[in-house]
Amino acid sequence: MNTRGEMPLVRRVCVLAWAGAAVSWELSTPGRLVPSLATCAAFLLLATGCALHIRRELLGELRRAQEIAGAAQRALLRPLPGRIDGLTPAAAQLSASRGAAVGGDLYEVVPTAYGVRVVIGDVRGHGLPALGAAAAVLGAFREGAYEEPSLDGVLRRMERALGRHVRDRAESEPAAAEEFVTVLLLQIARDGTLLTLNCGHPWPYLIRPAPVPEHCAARSRGSAPDPAPRAPAGRGLSARPAFEDRVRAAPGSAQRATQVLPLAGGETLPPLGVVPVPADMWPHACGELRPGETLFLYTDGAEDARDRAGRFFDLAGVLAQEAAATPTRLVAGVHAALLRHTGGRLADDVALLVLRNDRS
């Protein structure tokens, strides 16, 4: 397959070869020089006109393809609103396939009666071939998130949708029978309580802003210190602590710097489509998302990205540098750093999703 840069070069070589052959033939033919030069000029003008016409046609086809790709991306990954039930979201998606606007990564954020529900996932493979599975799983989430009272019910709907898609494709494409999807489901209650279900997906990062120094805080006498993160107890919920591992601070900062912490919320199940989800599956509690704190969700294409020397992308380090930015600028900063690290050559699709709690 020709790449984007090879095709114009091939056209240029063909036009120049044709024009050179015409000029050589004309000049080698016996006769007067002036008529021969006039004929050569006519040949060159004709060749230039043909090349410009072909170029206009190709540019028109490219614009139409980009419009179709943009419509497909807006239908699959709908633009997120500026505010969702007190949360400020921002997201971006990068396809590893050259010229493709969409790929196998998916995300969505919806406000429901049970809290704000979030999904981020990654289909096996990348680019346009993974688009069908992403659409099936995302459609099931958008329906189940509003109707299912528990996250495990939403996940089972997504599993059934993926199974139907795989069975339909396997009849014509046997390789589709091995398709699977990593999925992370989150539920954020009004009080910030987090519930999760993880099927083989990377855990997100929690970004905590730097606390206000005590001598600057307007505390009343005898006021209690900020409570530690807690996990609500309940039937089937894991009460393991969530935010106690691997604290990372912004470079050059003091002890009170912004913290970037990995969020871990219990058992990680196999990806959807590998084995059936367990019958006794329950969501896990993993602390709270307090006002001012930010969740950064991503697909493994971000952490697995390498530069030409084979070094992995330092996602946590970039987050520490960009932690004070707004959600939109945080996504843009990670996006730009990722492209710089890989030289614009991604090996896998990447999806980035940020949620900041702006509730009072």
Side-chain angles (χ1 to χ4, degrees), residues 196-334:
T196 64
L197 274 174
N198 192 335
C199 293
H201 199 83
W203 289 100
Y205 283 97
L206 174 73
I207 302 175
R208 278 180 172 169
V212 178
E214 292 185 5
H215 64 275
C216 296
R219 288 183 179 272
S220 60
R221 176 170 298 185
S223 61
D226 292 338
R230 59 180 177 83
R235 180 187 174 192
L237 299 182
S238 168
R240 70 183 278 184
F243 310 124
E244 304 301 329
D245 315 279
R246 298 182 304 171
V247 177
R248 185 156 190 165
S253 57
Q255 184 179 3
R256 293 183 176 276
T258 299
Q259 296 175 336
V260 178
L261 307 131
L263 177 71
E267 179 186 5
T268 300
L269 302 171
L272 288 183
V274 175
V275 296
V277 296
D280 58 348
M281 172 185 59
W282 295 95
H284 297 275
C286 55
E288 297 174 342
L289 180 67
R290 299 177 183 179
E293 295 182 342
T294 300
L295 275 178
F296 184 90
L297 297 84
Y298 61 97
T299 55
D300 59 5
E303 281 192 331
D304 293 345
R306 302 192 188 199
D307 60 10
R308 294 187 177 182
R311 294 185 296 265
F312 287 103
F313 180 62
D314 184 13
L315 178 58
V318 174
L319 288 178
Q321 296 173 8
E322 302 284 345
T326 63
T328 300
R329 292 188 176 182
L330 178 59
V331 168
V334 175

